[in-house]
Amino acid sequence: MNHSDASSTDLVLADGSKLPKVGLGFWKIPGDQCDQVVSTAIDLGYRHFDCACDYGNEAEIGAAMSKQFSGGSIGRDELWVTSKLWNTYHRREHVRLAVEKTLRDLQLDYLDLYHIHFPISLEFVPFEDRYPPAWFFDPDAESPAMKPVQVPIRETWAAMEELVDAGLVRHIGICNFGVSLIRDLISDCRIRPSVLQVELHPYLTQNHLVRYAQSENIAVTAFSPLGAKSYQPLGMAEASDSVLDNPVVQHIAEETGRSTAQVVLRWGVQRGTAVIPKSQQAAHLADNLNLFDFELTESQMESISGLDQHRRFNDPAVFCEAAFNTYYPIFD
């Protein structure tokens, strides 16, 4: 595994750009809290914001960032801002429309990184009908469901490459892709993906996927790096699924004098990935960023990695059927 330098706060991408190893994920942060969260995060030193059309809060994040820029507390070039192409915009003619909508909402001229959010193509929903469109094609139907469509990844990716050509995005990436899909994509692309973002935590280490991506010089970002916590309120995880309550993690927290969250996040950055934990509380935001003045021993790293249960909390095969009346597996 690519264990990285304890004090280095950035991942260096294939083109030499620097992706901050700790970012702030905006999934499930309510719009009316974005102003305070953005302000606090920037004051604490966050320089990596992970957004998405589907989170439904990009306009509020954009207003908050604009206020910070105009107030002089930070410059646009000091922030790394990521967003994601939603499933309903995979056709070539919709990709640029989607990123332009995100840029208007975020009040930005360009994104540092734009991902394909899922390898899932759904029927287009016009912005004026519903935005963000979420998963249902028609939520008011008698039996609402997803409406999958056949759009090749190559078609979507070619349109993503054109966004780079146009200067709208600086890097393009992929989320929730497995090894075979990545291998197929890079065999025939003009611009390679810079970053892979996937669910990673001690209960889902995905060692082969991480190692493969790193061997292809594709940086890896871990979403849900603390595991079950974000999924408990959604009924997608139980309290007993919490990695932070695991005795191994608690013991290492005692050994290092750190919180269990810091131990788990440190494990993530030390194996060479970026992490994007979510928090709205200033104390947690500060703790989550404070990972670079200690290092886990090889033994501690192995103990945490040994907790792997292949436990995926964000699995379309499960939640699409349960919540959206459509069986749609994407992982083996």
Side-chain angles (χ1 to χ4, degrees), residues 10 38 43-45 100 106 113 115 185 211 228 245 297 303 319:
D10 299 307
V38 167
D43 286 348
L44 288 170
E100 287 175 342
L106 290 172
L113 174 62
H115 283 297
L185 175 64
R211 180 178 173 183
D245 295 334
T297 66
S303 294
F319 71 74

Side-chain angles (χ1 to χ4, degrees), residues 35 37-47 49 63-79:
D35 186 66
V37 170
V38 167
S39 172
T40 302
I42 287 174
D43 286 348
L44 288 170
Y46 279 85
R47 296 296 180 262
F49 287 171
M65 289 193 300
S66 178
K67 189 189 296 185
Q68 297 295 314
F69 297 150
S70 61
S73 59
I74 194 168
R76 168 65 185 99
D77 60 351
E78 297 176 78
L79 274 190

